[in-house]
Amino acid sequence: MIILRSLFYILIFPGALFTACFGLFLAGVDRKVVARMQHRIGPPLRQPMYDFFKLLGKETIIPHAANKIAFLGAPIIGFVSLALIMLFIPVGGLTAFSGNADMIVILYLITIPGVALIVGGSSSGSPYAGIGISREMVTMMAYELPFVLVLLAVARKAGGSELAFSMEQVANWQAANGNMLFQWSMIPAAIAMLLVVPAEVGTQPFDVAEAETEICEGPLIEYSGSALGMFKLNSAMKMFVMSGLFVSLFLGGIRTGFVVCDVIVFILLCIVVTILCMSTIHAVTARLKIEHLFKFYWTFVAGMALCSLILVWCGL
Amino acid sequence: MFNKLINDSASKSPWLYHINSGSCNGCDIELVACLTPRYDAERFGFKLAGTPRHADIVVVSGPVTSQSKERLIRTLAQVPEPKCVVSLGSCPKSGNVFKGSYSVEAPLDDYCHVDVSVAGCTPKPEAIMEGLYKAALILKEKREAMHK
Amino acid sequence: MIQHFPVLAVMLLFLGAFCVEIFGSNNAGIRNTIAMLAATIALVLIYALIKPVMIDGEIISYWMGNWAPVSGYAIGIGYEVDALSLFFALLVVTTFWLSGVYSMSYMAKDHHLGHYYTLYLMLSGSVLGLVMTGDIFNMFVMIEIMTFASVALTAFRNENEGTLEAGFKYLVIGSMGSSFTLTGIALIYGQCHTLNMAQISAQLCTGMTPTTIMAFALIVAGFGVKSYIVPFHTPAADAYMVAPTSVSMIFSGMVNKAGVYGMIRVLYIIFRAMDKSSVQMLVVIFGAVTMFIGVTMALAQHDFKRLLAFHSISQIGYVITAIGLGTALGITGGLFHAMNHTLFKGLLFLTAGAVLYATGTTNLDKLGGLSKKMPKTCICFLIGAFSISGLPPFNGFVSKWLVYQATYTKAVETGNFVYAIVTVVALIVSVMTLASFIKVTQAVFFGQLPAELKKTQEVPASMLVPMYLMSALCVLCGIFYPIVNKYLLHPATEATLNVTNYIDKMMGDGYAAMMGAQNIEVAPVQFSYWNPIVWLILFVIIFVAAFLVITGSKSSRGQVLNPGVKYDPKYATFFSGEEELFSQVGGSDLFWGFKTDWKGYYKVLEGLHSGIVTDYAGWTVMATAIITVCMFIFMR
């Protein structure tokens, strides 16, 4: 029974299938909104789905310089870890698995898709990919500091005098005391987190690693067919996972009493967060340089998050 | 069902890879103009890809100079199946005003199979879009032929 | 019967050392047999102790020559193996046994192997003796043997550039550490009139005098040198780099663990100083600085083994931080990380050795694309790299997860913001660790194969087997961590925090109570981040499903058409249409965006790591002075 239930959680909801479908939908929303902001009609909402299926139908070329196992295995590892993260994030009050300190588990699981991208790109043997993975790794180091600070601030706020590294505890605290976002000491942290999300997903101003015009899509350069499709799916899923993480950290306290309604509210909030921090920034900015990106995250964004952490530690 | 979904998607998300084989840049600008808000090719799912490995449609402009010929053929080989080749403008079709030059090796169809030719110097964005759309339909046919 | 095992194991190793030199200096067969026989018997003897010590909770004591205490004073040399000692002893025997197996083919091309195996067995025996002895002067003797065997092994390949320099650095700094320890021991002996650790511990219950504080500070500094915490880390980088890799593995797997063991023994059991929050803070800050400087130095390295050396320093920082917290959670995390560090760092050194063996270089700028030539080594390396970077479900994740939790719990409990900063540093260091291993992955195993490495071959089986064993242990410890916790970590943690049993076993029942030592009840640390078995099954299911999807679609890969003929351009790497060229993004070129932002910091570090021994000796003295002053302020 417990195995069956875990199987359902992992494969269907809120694991692989739900995350994949909704992630693709969210990517469609993102593209549509960006198009509307630029006064275009834009692709249909199902466009990422078409892209994914088309890529499944294409030939997968493995260049002779590539290491076949790493080249094909990397996207799958990324996919699995993304499906797993969703199990730790409370989807509208429903957490598939919770343990103590699952925030750190999330923090680590969320680096795995990035690592998968790096290993895959690196194993393709292309020098463009070499530059791409270097940028991807620097980006990762850049956003990790503010991300960690935000998580610690939230944990401290939700825990009070004891430690609360658990997402469920954060959700319960918010259900009791109102949303984390409306605590004024947490506002800098929320802003920092809003800036961490696009870097983690790798959308427009922070997509230095996959810059298609300068380094030919970086780590993805040699990928084609279904392996590429998996990577595209991964980045769509990451969009959902990160916006979901933001929602459950800062807007997690909304309880209507019905699980279905809670889930719908969660989904709507995810869409809002995506539009706010990915589409809008995407539509109005140009790509950063890698050293500027690093500096931006370690000074401005980390500063905001640290500000929150200190306020929380002062008991505010 | 799965196969049908893939076949249907084949024509709905064509990604372009653009190769300039010595073009005067006129066609290139017009191609990019297709992506602007006025024409918005993205509503058909068109997207510019950064590498031939991601491409479905390869758009070739320019009269295939002898310097670029080898690179052009090599790049075309690197595109995964099913793929379409679209020649953009009069140059790759006939050599246009450069015909007869010692350094120009047009037409393009001497070196590869061209699925759609968009003529004009330069072709209008509307014409380019129509050509690309036709190429997308050919993509679907090719995909169906691959998985008969 | 069982109480003879520890001392037999140590004796056998030393005996083996002499036998190798006498009988085997000219005959490889005899030499290898003696060395492996001694190592294997020691391994078996120590593993046989798991049941009584770890599971039944016994403490094994042994008086050399049956010199039991006379009228309350320990006069003989005693061996005392409690769970903490056995925990480290297990790490030690596992490391040297695997290293011995690896040496068989790795060292086969070298000369004077008689000396090598003599020193190898001396080093193994001394570290094993160090972690099991109950006599503080005996401990010093073992430290001395360890230091000089290490110096000789560092300079073993002395035809190579830099070995003698590294040996010299090691000699100077290592001897300084030993001298500190010796001075401390002399002071303690003058004060307590005994050299038995249990008895010293009992006598110090009555309080510290200035002399014992001085002794405490000096012994802590001495073990700090042995565990290479910053700023004592300077000889480590050179020594690990130039020593034969089987020895580098011993250094990072046992020699610096011996330092960590000494720290724990001194801080928790002999002087019981860890109930003072200021001492905790001092140790934690040393640990945090160590891990940060270690990892940032590692990011800037161009040599595979040197990079690993700096990571050893950095990971020891984690261990020191965790044990400095003084909580059961912290000690569990620290011990687990020490164990994991032995496993994954040993594994990584072995892969580095395999690369060196197969290609003749460890320069990150000259390697590349080896994953096609050495696929097995590559997989082992990736497991090690992911373990050290703490990716789930490998073992590094669990122990790091414990360390973060312990530090942040400590921060919340004490309300001290410094511990929160330490948590942040620990998390950031983990990402940087990942970054530097990505660099190695790209520069050594992936990317393009340079023309001069085209003939590289996979290493022989006797080198692969230790790597396989260690990879398997890395994965198993990550998945079955509750078992590890129950049978290894929990007894060791309890032994660390409970002094009375340790004293009573050695000095007779009731001795500890007479001197006023008390036990602290330790609740077993329970931790779980997921149910490992169920999760493993599901992980596999998803993996298989996804793999079917991906291989279901048509994939093709390039074949060599004819030898000598170029590849089909379709399968060539995309070079913007150009013909494929050799172009490898090597180790030094990665992360320049990061490096430009950190230019100032690296300039300072570069200035500090001047490579001049007098500078390093100066740092050592200065740090010892700081520790001494701090201890006098804190312990009054």
Side-chain angles (χ1 to χ4, degrees):
Chain A
M1 191 57 213
I2 217 155
I3 298 245
L4 273 182
R5 209 171 62 196
S6 325
L7 259 182
F8 175 76
Y9 281 150
I10 291 177
L11 291 179
I12 298 170
F13 181 89
L17 191 65
F18 173 71
T19 316
C21 293
F22 190 66
L24 288 174
F25 170 72
L26 214 53
V29 171
D30 176 49
R31 275 176 80 173
K32 189 82 184 173
V33 171
V34 172
R36 294 306 299 158
M37 281 178 181
Q38 295 173 342
H39 242 273
R40 291 187 281 128
I41 295 170
L45 287 177
R46 285 167 297 169
Q47 186 58 44
M49 206 112 46
Y50 290 141
D51 290 352
F52 175 65
F53 281 111
K54 174 208 75 178
L55 287 170
L56 284 189
K58 290 205 66 151
E59 182 188 22
T60 309
I61 298 175
I62 301 161
H64 68 77
N67 180 311
K68 189 175 177 184
I69 301 170
F71 190 76
L72 288 181
I76 302 170
I77 301 224
F79 174 79
V80 172
S81 71
L82 279 163
L84 289 184
I85 301 169
M86 233 17 233
L87 305 175
F88 290 98
I89 295 177
V91 181
L94 186 136
T95 323
F97 289 92
S98 97
N100 58 342
D102 49 11
M103 259 186 205
I104 298 177
V105 181
I106 292 178
L107 182 71
Y108 271 88
L109 279 175
I110 236 163
T111 57
I112 293 185
V115 175
L117 184 64
I118 289 169
V119 169
S122 176
S123 72
S124 69
S126 163
Y128 289 106
I131 297 166
I133 64 159
S134 136
R135 293 182 179 189
E136 174 77 27
M137 198 60 234
V138 175
T139 316
M140 209 186 264
M141 283 195 268
Y143 66 68
E144 204 77 356
L145 177 66
F147 193 18
V148 164
L149 290 169
V150 168
L151 286 184
L152 291 185
V154 171
R156 172 75 174 150
K157 183 82 189 169
S161 60
E162 58 186 273
L163 186 69
F165 263 147
S166 148
M167 293 302 286
E168 201 170 17
Q169 241 168 308
V170 174
N172 292 340
W173 187 88
Q174 294 186 69
N177 300 329
N179 285 341
M180 204 59 99
L181 189 61
F182 305 126
Q183 307 285 327
W184 67 268
S185 62
M186 295 305 289
I187 289 174
I191 296 172
M193 189 65 191
L194 273 184
L195 287 166
V196 167
V197 172
E200 175 85 58
V201 178
T203 53
Q204 181 66 13
F206 310 117
D207 65 341
V208 268
E210 287 163 38
E212 70 270 13
T213 38
E214 346 161 14
I215 51 169
C216 311
E217 315 240 354
L220 292 179
I221 176 168
E222 293 298 331
Y223 274 98
S224 58
S226 49
L228 177 65
M230 288 301 272
F231 269 126
K232 293 285 170 193
L233 180 66
N234 283 357
S235 74
M237 282 165 80
K238 223 183 202 178
M239 213 175 231
F240 176 42
V241 165
M242 284 310 289
S243 55
L245 187 62
F246 181 87
V247 170
S248 48
L249 283 180
F250 289 99
L251 293 163
I254 299 162
R255 292 275 191 282
T256 52
F258 300 99
V259 175
V260 180
C261 293
D262 283 349
V263 171
I264 290 171
V265 168
F266 177 83
I267 285 172
L268 290 176
L269 285 172
C270 280
I271 296 174
V272 172
V273 169
T274 308
I275 292 173
L276 198 66
C277 70
M278 282 178 254
S279 314
T280 318
I281 300 180
H282 178 181
V284 298
T285 51
R287 190 175 299 130
L288 286 172
K289 282 206 273 184
I290 184 70
E291 61 263 43
H292 294 165
L293 183 140
F294 190 84
K295 207 172 263 173
F296 176 68
Y297 273 93
W298 275 55
T299 52
F300 177 73
V301 186
M304 296 281 259
L306 190 64
C307 200
S308 248
L309 185 64
I310 290 171
L311 284 176
V312 172
W313 272 78
C314 296
L316 293 167
Chain B
M1 188 200 100
F2 204 57
N3 208 16
K4 187 171 178 300
L5 202 56
I6 292 176
N7 286 345
D8 287 349
S9 306
S11 66
K12 285 181 179 157
S13 112
W15 292 357
L16 307 179
Y17 183 73
H18 175 207
I19 304 175
N20 177 338
S21 64
S23 155
C24 70
N25 244 334
C27 298
D28 309 347
I29 290 173
E30 291 303 305
L31 179 68
V32 178
C34 290
L35 295 169
T36 55
R38 188 175 176 89
Y39 300 101
D40 190 22
E42 205 190 349
R43 66 199 144 111
F44 302 114
F46 288 106
K47 204 172 101 171
L48 276 180
T51 136
R53 300 274 192 220
H54 298 191
D56 303 293
I57 300 177
V58 185
V59 182
V60 184
S61 60
V64 194
T65 57
S66 10
Q67 281 289 328
S68 66
K69 188 186 91 185
E70 218 177 293
R71 279 111 185 139
L72 175 71
I73 294 169
R74 209 175 283 127
T75 310
L76 282 173
Q78 289 175 347
V79 181
E81 297 290 339
K83 64 182 173 197
C84 271
V85 180
V86 174
S87 74
L88 184 61
S90 302
C91 298
K93 197 166 165 53
S94 63
N96 206 1
V97 293
F98 306 108
K99 190 172 170 74
S101 162
Y102 63 92
S103 64
V104 163
E105 316 220 354
L108 177 64
D109 31 2
D110 285 2
Y111 313 110
C112 67
H113 176 75
V114 178
D115 296 274
V116 178
S117 287
V118 184
C121 185
T122 69
K124 290 163 79 176
E126 287 91 339
I128 298 176
M129 294 232 328
E130 195 192 347
L132 290 178
Y133 192 71
K134 277 187 180 151
L137 294 178
I138 294 172
L139 267 181
K140 185 178 177 183
E141 279 166 27
K142 286 192 174 177
R143 159 74 206 176
E144 277 164 357
M146 261 169 77
H147 285 260
K148 256 286 144 55
Chain C
M1 176 61 195
I2 199 114
Q3 76 269 27
H4 299 290
F5 283 9
V7 80
L8 271 179
V10 178
M11 296 280 214
L12 252 171
L13 289 170
F14 284 134
L15 194 68
F18 292 112
C19 290
V20 163
E21 194 61 33
I22 294 167
F23 302 113
S25 51
N26 292 321
N27 187 324
I30 297 175
R31 183 170 63 216
N32 292 355
T33 317
I34 294 174
M36 275 330 285
L37 204 65
T40 313
I41 295 175
L43 178 91
V44 172
L45 288 175
I46 298 299
Y47 270 78
L49 294 176
I50 291 181
K51 188 177 178 308
V53 175
M54 288 296 188
I55 298 172
D56 303 341
E58 273 178 51
I59 296 177
I60 291 169
S61 70
Y62 181 88
W63 291 101
M64 293 261 196
N66 210 8
W67 286 87
V70 179
S71 61
Y73 266 90
I75 47 175
I77 296 175
Y79 266 58
E80 181 165 17
V81 182
D82 62 349
L84 179 66
S85 291
L86 185 64
F87 179 80
F88 280 95
L90 287 173
L91 298 187
V92 170
V93 287
T94 315
T95 310
F96 73 63
W97 190 77
L98 287 172
S99 164
V101 175
Y102 188 83
S103 302
M104 292 296 144
S105 35
Y106 179 74
M107 296 299 293
K109 292 179 198 159
D110 280 61
H111 306 292
H112 302 297
L113 283 180
H115 302 325
Y116 173 81
Y117 284 108
T118 308
L119 290 165
Y120 156 78
L121 287 172
M122 292 281 262
L123 183 58
S124 313
S126 63
V127 182
L128 192 59
L130 195 159
V131 298
M132 295 197 304
T133 184
D135 186 279
I136 199 162
F137 190 76
N138 193 241
M139 207 174 191
F140 168 73
V141 172
M142 294 300 182
I143 291 176
E144 279 297 65
I145 301 174
M146 178 182 99
T147 309
F148 284 96
S150 306
V151 170
L153 282 174
T154 301
F156 187 74
R157 285 180 171 168
N158 57 11
E159 70 277 11
N160 290 354
E161 191 194 339
T163 35
L164 290 176
E165 189 194 337
F168 180 64
K169 279 183 197 164
Y170 199 126
L171 183 67
V172 171
I173 309 292
S175 311
M176 287 176 81
S178 311
S179 326
F180 292 146
T181 319
L182 181 63
T183 319
I185 290 169
L187 290 174
I188 257 312
Y189 186 46
Q191 196 75 16
C192 300
H193 309 295
T194 179
L195 287 167
N196 188 285
M197 297 201 286
Q199 199 179 1
I200 295 169
S201 172
Q203 293 208 352
L204 291 176
C205 285
T206 45
M208 302 278 269
T209 62
T211 317
T212 52
I213 295 173
M214 186 70 199
F216 175 53
L218 286 174
I219 296 178
V220 168
F223 281 117
V225 174
K226 296 301 163 197
S227 54
Y228 308 120
I229 57 176
V230 172
F232 305 122
H233 66 289
T234 43
D238 284 355
Y240 288 28
M241 181 171 91
V242 299
T245 312
S246 49
V247 176
S248 307
M249 173 197 173
I250 290 187
F251 284 172
S252 83
M254 337 182 333
V255 174
N256 61 16
K257 293 306 171 310
V260 171
Y261 165 79
M263 289 282 248
I264 299 179
R265 194 50 99 195
V266 168
L267 289 171
Y268 280 95
I269 291 178
I270 303 183
F271 291 91
R272 272 167 294 132
M274 293 311 286
D275 48 359
K276 295 199 172 47
S277 58
S278 42
V279 178
Q280 292 173 356
M281 183 66 89
L282 183 74
V283 178
V284 169
I285 286 176
F286 263 102
V289 169
T290 303
M291 64 180 153
F292 191 73
I293 291 190
V295 83
T296 42
M297 282 303 288
L299 268 174
Q301 298 307 317
H302 305 282
D303 187 279
F304 194 174
K305 284 175 76 181
R306 202 177 170 83
L307 184 140
L308 291 179
F310 276 108
H311 275 296
S312 276
I313 295 162
S314 161
Q315 302 299 316
I316 288 298
Y318 271 101
V319 180
I320 297 287
T321 308
I323 62 170
L325 294 170
T327 56
L329 190 63
I331 296 167
T332 311
L335 290 176
F336 200 9
H337 201 71
M339 174 181 163
N340 292 341
H341 176 242
T342 300
L343 296 176
F344 53 61
K345 189 49 65 63
L347 173 59
L348 289 168
F349 267 120
L350 294 187
T351 54
V355 169
L356 180 61
Y357 182 87
T359 65
T361 179
T362 49
N363 189 332
L364 292 180
D365 294 331
K366 290 183 182 158
L367 294 163
L370 287 178
S371 69
K372 303 195 76 178
K373 299 286 176 189
M374 308 165 73
K376 293 165 190 158
T377 311
C378 174
I379 287 172
C380 291
F381 170 78
L382 283 180
I383 291 177
F386 291 155
S387 300
I388 196 175
S389 323
L391 295 184
F394 297 102
N395 58 357
F397 173 72
V398 190
S399 53
K400 283 189 182 179
W401 178 79
L402 279 174
V403 173
Y404 307 141
Q405 232 184 323
T407 46
Y408 207 60
T409 313
K410 183 86 181 171
V412 171
E413 273 171 7
T414 57
N416 198 332
F417 197 66
V418 176
Y419 290 117
I421 298 287
V422 169
T423 316
V424 176
V425 170
L427 280 157
I428 290 304
V429 166
S430 180
V431 185
M432 290 184 171
T433 309
L434 177 64
S436 60
F437 278 97
I438 292 296
K439 170 168 135 178
V440 180
T441 317
Q442 159 73 16
V444 176
F445 290 102
F446 292 145
Q448 292 192 338
L449 193 68
E452 57 266 33
L453 299 181
K454 284 268 189 312
K455 291 203 177 85
T456 311
Q457 279 175 347
E458 184 64 279
V459 291
S462 72
M463 286 166 79
L464 282 172
V465 169
M467 290 199 252
Y468 287 154
L469 281 174
M470 287 207 138
S471 320
L473 283 173
C474 279
V475 177
L476 292 179
C477 287
I479 294 171
F480 299 106
Y481 60 87
I483 297 171
V484 177
N485 181 32
K486 191 173 167 202
Y487 292 117
L488 294 178
L489 301 174
H490 178 62
T493 310
E494 210 162 35
T496 311
L497 291 168
N498 285 337
V499 189
T500 46
N501 297 347
Y502 186 77
I503 297 172
D504 282 352
K505 180 71 190 179
M506 218 52 179
M507 304 304 298
D509 284 339
Y511 190 85
M514 192 175 79
M515 304 301 286
Q518 272 164 3
N519 253 351
I520 317 157
E521 267 315 305
V522 190
V525 179
Q526 296 288 347
F527 56 96
S528 69
Y529 67 100
W530 55 26
N531 183 356
I533 307 294
V534 173
W535 282 74
L536 187 72
I537 295 166
L538 296 168
F539 207 92
V540 170
I541 291 175
I542 295 195
F543 197 87
V544 168
F547 201 76
L548 287 179
V549 169
I550 217 154
T551 48
S553 77
K554 192 181 167 215
S555 78
S556 58
R557 86 163 300 166
Q559 303 291 330
V560 183
L561 300 171
N562 283 310
V565 175
K566 290 227 174 82
Y567 287 104
D568 184 352
K570 181 172 181 181
Y571 302 104
T573 326
F574 176 60
F575 266 86
S576 303
E578 294 295 326
E579 212 169 301
E580 198 178 50
L581 305 163
F582 172 71
S583 168
Q584 159 79 334
V585 181
S588 332
D589 306 329
L590 280 177
F591 308 139
W592 62 270
F594 172 81
K595 279 182 203 153
T596 44
D597 282 340
W598 285 58
K599 230 181 299 168
Y601 175 81
Y602 275 120
K603 211 167 217 174
V604 172
L605 273 195
E606 222 165 86
L608 290 176
H609 291 82
S610 55
I612 302 167
V613 185
T614 39
D615 281 9
Y616 293 168
W619 291 17
T620 311
V621 172
M622 214 145 65
T624 312
I626 291 171
I627 292 175
T628 314
V629 170
C630 289
M631 288 306 179
F632 267 102
I633 297 168
F634 298 156
M635 301 291 282
R636 294 295 289 172

